[in-house]
Every structure is written in structure tokens, then in C-alpha cells.
Amino acid sequence: MYRNIYVESEVLRYPRVKEILARYTDASVVTCDRYTEIFNLKSQDFRLQKKQPALILARKHRGYIQQAPAGYGVGGDHNFYFSTMMNCLYDCRYCFLQGMYRSANHVVFVNYEDFSSALLKTAARFEKDEQVWFFSGYDCDSLALEPVLSMADFFIETVSSSQNVWLELRTKSTQIRSLLKRTPLPNIVTAFSFTPTAISEQIEHQVPGVEKRLAAMLRLQEQGWSVGLRFDPLIYSHNFREQYQDLFNLLFLSLNPNLIHSISIGVFRLPKHFYKQLERLYPDDSFIAQPFNSRNGQVSYPLNIELEMKSWCYKQIQEHIEKNKIFFAEISVPDSIPATSISLKSELDVRNVN
Amino acid sequence: MNHSVNLIVALKAEAQPLIEFFELKALPVDETISIFTNHEVTLALAGMGKSAAAHAVQCVKNTNQGCVNAWLNIGIAGHGEFDVGQGFLANRIVDQTTMKTWYPQFVFQPVCRTGTLMTVDKVETDYSDPVGYDMEASGFYSAAVNCSTIELVHTYKIVSDNPRNSVAKVTRSKIDNLIKSKLSEIRCTIDSLKKLTAEVATRSSSDELLHQFLQRWRFSVTQQIQLNSLLRKTNVLKIDIDVESNEYMSCRNGKSALKVVERTVETHWRN
């Protein structure tokens, strides 16, 4: 699918690079010194590049493992994230990557081994009885390019012999073959993101359908793998209750609750300057055109809608699953909290630390 | 918003077949270069060299103010490997003097081969690397990417000489034939760029409704930006705004009109 591939001269001879290039014999391959020469240029159009993104194979030199943002966790003692890839195969209109990067090209850091060493070194800082979590899929989809990159396969191997090191592979993909060929490991959670079908079809372009993702989850569970559900972002519509009720029913009546590791909920929100960039890129998009509110540098739904969605979804989900498996992906921090909302907000925040 | 594909060409022999093919008419502009145009394409006859190409970009930019511009540098080139007559789009442009490098981005399927193009100050006769050699691309590219997003800037060259065919044998009529033989590739490339410019142009299309607001009330620059953004939302969300309605008629200034639009959008969305 890639017609243009850029390769840093430094990694041209990596066996992993040769394997990737062998899959794209028809692509035009151009060598460069540093990926930033292509990726970081000012006058780029993310939306145009999304039509036909190029693949950039590069080496990361530092900052392999990052501290996860506050509120990002599913019950672990310490949370970190890492990104061997920047940008995503899919085109979800709410995605923050559109506002964060100037380029829609896909950068893959092929020195997985450096990430792996850094990951184990980070984990070694903590006691053996502490859960140390590493989240993959923050700046990309963890599995969408697995047949090409074998990234998940590599990092599952990395953490396979460490009992207190947990790995979350966050995805909207159905590329689960690398997991299915292995014996299930209790410290790996493949977390699937969902929005209701009607919303997904409207704003999650190129993403496999809800039913296909559910089928992938069921196959993983059948083999004994733990899965996660991520309702983040929650997307508002006039009939969000009906839409999310249908989605929850479909998922919870199909999945084995014992093999659901965790569920997280987070309402759509973006840093204000990312949202401004999206407005420039997609002025004709009905999702972006909604009258969002801006609070403390974040753009989101009006606070009453945000709280209503979170509390309603939380109540629905807890009918299917134990409360201690449900997490909120962020804490609402409004400029001022209306008196009527205080009790609800407190309840939500308490859930966040459980 | 208008959009245009701008061709920057060094030699008259390169320009003439393009002027004839696209039926371009000379533009009576007070510029140091000749500019030809029709409803979709503008061609500037730049003269040879990097500086001339950069200057031509600036001149065309000045005549196409407020327009979404794509840029295509067309011309002949030497090549260390390709056969004479081969057309190619540059996927890497290197300035031999500064060694500065650019990477044109393809968001369309090229109709021809792609390859590295080295911009040199003197005619290359050694063809020491398996790359193209020209005298304009780096000057053209560095100027054009300052005027447009990089996906809209490309360089198309036709090989006129190589290690087996001396540059000394390149004549005016040979150049004419080379360009004519590749008109369909050039046409396809221009069409691809046209589609992209049209897409970008629709994003910033101005609106009759905005004009009505600006005629009736005074807005500060910030308010105009807010108004533009809000009116765009009403358009996307299919909300009718009638400036003749009582609600707007009672607005005494731009600020209050802006508030009414804001309220209308929120009310519509929540219901």
C-alpha cells in the first residue's frame, strides 16, 4: 500500500528494514539523513497527505519510554507509554494526531531493541510486587500494521518473562494473528476502542467495523487472552443513550466478562491549539463544526453534557462488569463547577482513583 | 477561492509547445519575465538558472494573489542513467553547491518514473551519479514551498542528454520534440495538481452570508475571524441564518450579532 518510502541511511542495512522494504517492491524508496527533514517541515498539509501517506523508516535516539499523562491508567502502580510509530493508518476525525503533527506520513522507529532495553530498565526501578504498565498505541495503532512491522510480537516477547510488567496494546484493528500464534500471557491486554456503529461509520474512516473488532476480541478471549474496552472518546449525539446502549449490549452480551481486564471511559477532548488546527484542516466537517466549549486549554463538550455522558455510560457499564474494572481516562477540570454538578463530579473523580 | 497550476519553464523552446498545447495567452503584466495564462494554467518563462526560477515564482505569486497555487517546474535535464526521452518527477532535489536537500511529497500517483534531481550551476557533462542534472529545480523549489504547501510543488524533467548522448547535440528542435512527446504526462500531472488545489480552495471559500454581516455591522479583526468560523459551522450543520429576521434586526453592533449567531448554533446543536 505504500508508494513512497523514505529510509534514513543509518537504518538502511537493518534486517528489519530489509524485511519491510521487501514487502513493497513497487514503492519508490528514497534515502534521507534524518526523518525530520521530511516529517517536521512547516508547510505541509495533513489532510492532503492522508490521501496517500508515505512510510518513513527511522531510528529513535532518545526518549524511548515516556511517563504516561496523569489519569492515564487502568489500575497499575506506575504508568508509561512508548511509541515506535508516529501517526495512524486510520482516519478518525476526533484524533489528536491531526492537530499534533504537521505531517500525516507514518514514521516507524525500527530500533525496537533500544525501546525494549529502556522498557526493562524502567521496570527494574520498581519493586516486584508493583504493577508497571507500558502503553503502546498512544501515537499510533498498536496492531494495524502488525503484519508488516511485527511490533506487538516483539514487545510481547520483551515482557513475556516479567510478571510485574504489563503491556497494553491499544487498537481499532483486527490484526491479531501475532497474538493467536502464542500462548496467552496474563500481563498482556489488547485494548479495543469503540464508538457506536453509526458514529464509527461517520467519523472513523477506514476503521474495521464494530462487528469485526468484536469478532477479533472473541477470538482472543477464546484462546485465553485478556482484552480491554476503551470508550474513549465518548462521542455525543442527540440519541447517544440509545446508540451506546446498543453498543454496550452487543459487547457485554458477547464477551466473557472474566477475560475483560478493564474498561476506560473518556469524553472527547482536545488541546485547544490542536482543535484550531482541525478547524483549519476540516472546515467542512460536521463533527468539527460542533459548538464545543473551551475550558482550561481543552476543547470538549459543554460540562453538563460531558458529565451526563460519563455518568450515564458508567452506570450502564457497571451493570455488566465489576466497578473496580472501570476507569475514567481523565478528570474534568472546568473553570467553575456549577453547584448542581459538584456531587456528580466528585463521584466520577472517586472512580478515577479506585 | 480561485486556484491555479503554475508552470515555471526556463527556455523558450521548452515553453512554446506548452503555450500552444494549453492555448495560453500572454498576460500584459509589468514584470521582468513573460507570463502566459488561460483559465486553469499559468506559465512563466523564467530564463536559465536557480535565481531566475525563484524570481519567476515570485512574479507569478504576485499576479495570482489570493489564489491556491500549485507549482510545476518543467524542463529538460541530463541524466546519469535514464534514456533520452524519459520523463521523471523529482522525489529528491539536491542543490550541488549547498548540498541542501528537499523531498517533494506525492499524494497522487505519478504517471512517470521518479528520481533524484541534482541542481548544478554549470552544465553537467560527467554524469557521475545515476541522477538527473538540471539548473533550476532547487531555486524553483525553495521559492515555491514558501508560497504553497509542499504537496502542491513538483518538478518534472525530460531527459535530453546522458553519458551516451552528449548535451552538445541538444538543439532547439530536439527540445521542442522532447516536450511534445511528453505532453500527455504533463497534462496528467497538471490534472492531479488541479484536483488538489481545487480541494484546498474549497476549504477557504468565502461566503455570501459573511458579506451580508460585514455590510451591516462593523467587526474587529478578531470578531471577523470568530464570525467566519461560526458562519462556516452554520453552513456545515445546515442551520439557516436570516439577517433580515427580528433577532438580527435588533442587533446594534457586530458584537451582539455575533452573540446571536453563537446562540443559534448552540441551540440548534443541543436540540
Side-chain angles (χ1 to χ4, degrees), chain A residues 81-227:
Chain A
Y81 75 94
F82 66 100
S83 301
T84 51
M85 183 171 171
M86 297 197 289
N87 271 325
C88 182
L89 216 59
Y90 306 132
D91 189 14
C92 302
R93 195 52 64 242
Y94 52 71
C95 182
F96 73 100
L97 295 174
Q98 302 165 111
M100 190 163 76
Y101 298 134
R102 289 175 179 147
S103 169
N105 290 330
H106 301 164
V107 178
V108 175
F109 297 114
V110 292
N111 51 326
Y112 297 173
E113 291 75 8
D114 292 325
F115 284 86
S116 171
S117 306
L119 186 155
L120 293 173
K121 206 169 155 185
T122 304
R125 285 165 29 202
F126 303 102
E127 300 297 329
K128 292 286 176 210
D129 60 349
E130 292 180 307
Q131 277 194 11
V132 188
W133 276 78
F134 293 90
F135 294 89
S136 160
Y138 195 66
D139 296 325
C140 65
D141 186 289
S142 297
L143 292 178
L145 272 175
E146 186 63 8
V148 179
L149 303 177
S150 304
M151 189 274 285
D153 197 40
F154 181 90
F155 287 100
I156 290 172
E157 191 61 40
T158 297
V159 303
S160 60
S161 53
S162 313
Q163 286 179 350
N164 70 325
V165 180
W166 289 69
L167 177 65
E168 181 193 278
L169 300 166
R170 187 172 295 195
T171 190
K172 288 195 187 88
S173 154
T174 56
Q175 300 288 354
I176 53 170
R177 211 171 301 159
S178 63
L179 285 115
L180 293 178
K181 72 181 185 194
R182 286 176 165 275
T183 307
L185 294 166
N187 56 333
I188 308 291
V189 175
T190 311
F192 289 77
S193 302
F194 284 98
T195 57
T197 302
I199 294 171
S200 179
E201 285 173 354
Q202 197 186 342
I203 60 176
E204 293 180 339
H205 309 290
Q206 290 142 44
V207 172
V210 169
E211 303 267 357
K212 284 186 178 171
R213 274 177 273 166
L214 173 59
M217 292 183 87
L218 289 171
R219 287 191 71 190
L220 286 171
Q221 282 198 333
E222 278 163 19
Q223 206 174 302
W225 290 94
S226 279
V227 295

Side-chain angles (χ1 to χ4, degrees), chain B residues 59-91:
Chain B
C59 292
V60 174
K61 184 193 169 193
N62 292 342
T63 61
N64 284 354
Q65 293 281 358
C67 182
V68 176
N69 290 299
W71 303 87
L72 184 62
N73 173 213
I74 300 175
I76 55 164
H79 204 286
E81 188 180 86
F82 289 174
D83 290 336
V84 167
Q86 174 74 56
F88 68 101
L89 281 156
N91 58 17

Side-chain angles (χ1 to χ4, degrees), chain B residues 176-269:
Chain B
D176 186 80
N177 287 336
L178 284 170
I179 299 285
K180 280 180 177 162
S181 72
K182 293 294 172 189
L183 285 170
S184 83
E185 278 186 5
I186 293 169
R187 168 89 258 180
C188 283
T189 306
I190 289 172
D191 285 347
S192 298
L193 290 171
K194 247 174 72 182
K195 276 187 198 156
L196 297 175
T197 52
E199 186 186 315
V200 175
T202 56
R203 288 187 217 162
S204 39
S205 59
S206 61
D207 191 66
E208 173 59 25
L209 193 56
L210 175 67
H211 185 67
Q212 287 181 34
F213 272 81
L214 296 180
Q215 289 236 308
R216 179 163 296 184
W217 297 284
R218 295 184 75 174
F219 295 90
S220 68
V221 175
T222 310
Q223 285 172 338
Q224 275 191 42
I225 293 168
Q226 288 171 338
L227 178 67
N228 197 13
S229 164
L230 274 170
L231 292 182
R232 195 181 288 286
K233 286 178 198 287
T234 64
N235 190 30
V236 175
L237 299 172
K238 299 184 173 40
I239 303 170
D240 286 329
I241 300 280
D242 181 7
V243 288
E244 303 300 330
S245 68
N246 290 341
E247 215 177 1
Y248 286 98
M249 294 295 267
S250 61
C251 292
R252 281 184 298 178
N253 52 35
K255 191 179 174 185
S256 55
L258 200 57
K259 283 273 178 217
V260 175
V261 186
E262 213 168 56
R263 209 167 47 232
T264 309
V265 173
E266 281 205 15
T267 309
H268 171 92
W269 182 68

